[in-house]
Amino acid sequence: MRNVNRVFFCKSLSLVFLVPSFTRPHLRFTYSAAGASLPNRAIHCMATDPPLPQSAASFSSVTGGGNPVSPTPRTNDVAAVPASSAIDFLSLCSRLKTTPRAGWVKRDVQNPESIADHMYRMGLMALISSDIPGVNREKCMKMAIVHDIAEAIVGDITPSCGVSKEEKNRRESEALEHMCKLLGGGERATEVAELWREYEANASPEAKVVKDFDKLEMILQALEYEQDQGKDLEEFFQSTAGKFQTDIGKAWALEIASRRKKQP
């Protein structure tokens, strides 16, 4: 089997992410642990390959399309993910710690939070939230730390990037496919993929709660940047106004808005 290299260029910075391909003829993402120490910035895929053939064994079985693939039976779930796969996956995910959130970068915020910072506080939101009938709080915590995981490869694609929702979803789906293959493709990979798909589709009570946490974390961070750096970040509050789906989302958003009104 020959290796083919694909180059992914940063939109505004000079980082180049070189990855050997896996065998399918489309966007190719394979991670080399040797590259984990490279400085990272938001990566924007420059994709020109044709769509994946429908007949190919695809990630659709994990993310919801096609017939589900039963996980390989295991007698010891602790050993389900080989150590080498776990460390490769976690090393790739380190990029979430070093990739700044694009919205803040574009507004010249100093020392902007990373994608991982954002997901971590969302996880805390789920942890401290009150019990809600019909909502699995543990699942919300898991979903919070998974919902932006594909950005380890594609970067933080925001509405101002000029990328359609369909194209954004395609890029992220293929990135997640690679990450789940890297993780070993077993039960844990399936769980990650299902959580991500459920969040993207806003398809469950947990997804609705976590979608609200996503917006809440953003406006809370905006408030903190306004207080600490004297920024006017009204657009972030306007973009979320009237879009909260849950009682907890609405209540916490009102509290944040109230505190914003009181600031000097």
Side-chain angles (χ1 to χ4, degrees):
M1 181 186 302
R2 68 188 182 91
N3 285 331
V4 180
N5 284 334
R6 292 284 172 167
V7 182
F8 293 83
F9 297 94
C10 295
K11 185 174 183 181
S12 59
L13 296 168
S14 60
L15 174 65
V16 177
F17 187 31
L18 293 175
V19 292
S21 73
F22 47 94
T23 58
R24 303 245 301 283
H26 197 32
L27 279 180
R28 280 87 186 265
F29 303 103
T30 300
Y31 175 69
S32 170
S37 62
L38 290 173
N40 187 51
R41 294 294 186 270
I43 300 168
H44 296 268
C45 301
M46 310 284 286
T48 57
D49 288 346
L52 290 172
Q54 291 297 318
S55 59
S58 75
F59 187 52
S60 62
S61 61
V62 179
T63 58
N67 296 322
V69 176
S70 298
T72 303
R74 291 181 173 86
T75 57
N76 183 359
D77 192 54
V78 174
V81 180
S84 59
S85 295
I87 298 305
D88 284 347
F89 175 83
L90 293 171
S91 294
L92 177 53
C93 287
S94 71
R95 294 177 178 273
L96 297 167
K97 297 168 63 177
T98 56
T99 302
R101 296 256 286 165
W104 309 131
V105 174
K106 292 176 181 179
R107 276 72 180 181
D108 297 320
V109 168
Q110 300 300 308
N111 300 314
E113 65 170 347
S114 70
I115 297 166
D117 293 331
H118 168 65
M119 293 196 295
Y120 173 72
R121 187 152 65 171
M122 284 176 61
L124 287 179
M125 288 177 171
L127 177 64
I128 68 169
S129 63
S130 302
D131 290 334
I132 303 171
V135 174
N136 184 323
R137 194 164 55 91
E138 181 179 344
K139 184 177 179 181
C140 288
M141 287 186 276
K142 291 180 179 181
M143 193 175 287
I145 64 172
V146 162
H147 82 287
D148 278 343
I149 199 168
E151 294 181 10
I153 290 177
V154 303
D156 184 15
I157 302 174
T158 68
S160 61
C161 291
V163 177
S164 69
K165 289 183 179 180
E166 294 77 14
E167 174 62 12
K168 179 177 182 290
N169 183 265
R170 184 187 69 80
R171 294 185 191 184
E172 292 182 346
S173 294
E174 292 194 6
L176 190 66
E177 173 181 5
H178 166 64
M179 296 179 79
C180 288
K181 284 180 178 291
L182 193 68
L183 190 55
E187 293 176 4
R188 291 294 177 263
T190 299
E191 181 180 26
V192 168
E194 288 178 346
L195 287 165
W196 183 86
R197 174 175 56 84
E198 195 172 301
Y199 173 83
E200 284 293 305
N202 198 26
S204 67
E206 290 82 7
K208 289 175 172 33
V209 170
V210 178
K211 286 276 188 182
D212 277 4
F213 287 162
D214 183 50
K215 297 179 183 71
L216 287 166
E217 204 289 322
M218 183 183 72
I219 62 172
L220 178 56
Q221 186 64 74
L223 173 61
E224 292 163 351
Y225 286 145
E226 285 186 335
Q227 293 171 336
D228 296 342
Q229 300 185 27
K231 298 286 185 181
D232 180 2
L233 299 172
E234 172 66 19
E235 62 188 289
F236 292 91
F237 296 92
Q238 289 295 330
S239 70
T240 61
K243 294 183 179 179
F244 292 95
Q245 306 174 82
T246 65
D247 289 342
I248 189 171
K250 294 171 185 177
W252 288 15
L254 283 173
E255 177 64 22
I256 293 169
S258 174
R259 295 187 180 204
R260 186 171 184 245
K261 289 178 180 178
K262 293 177 182 177
Q263 67 183 0

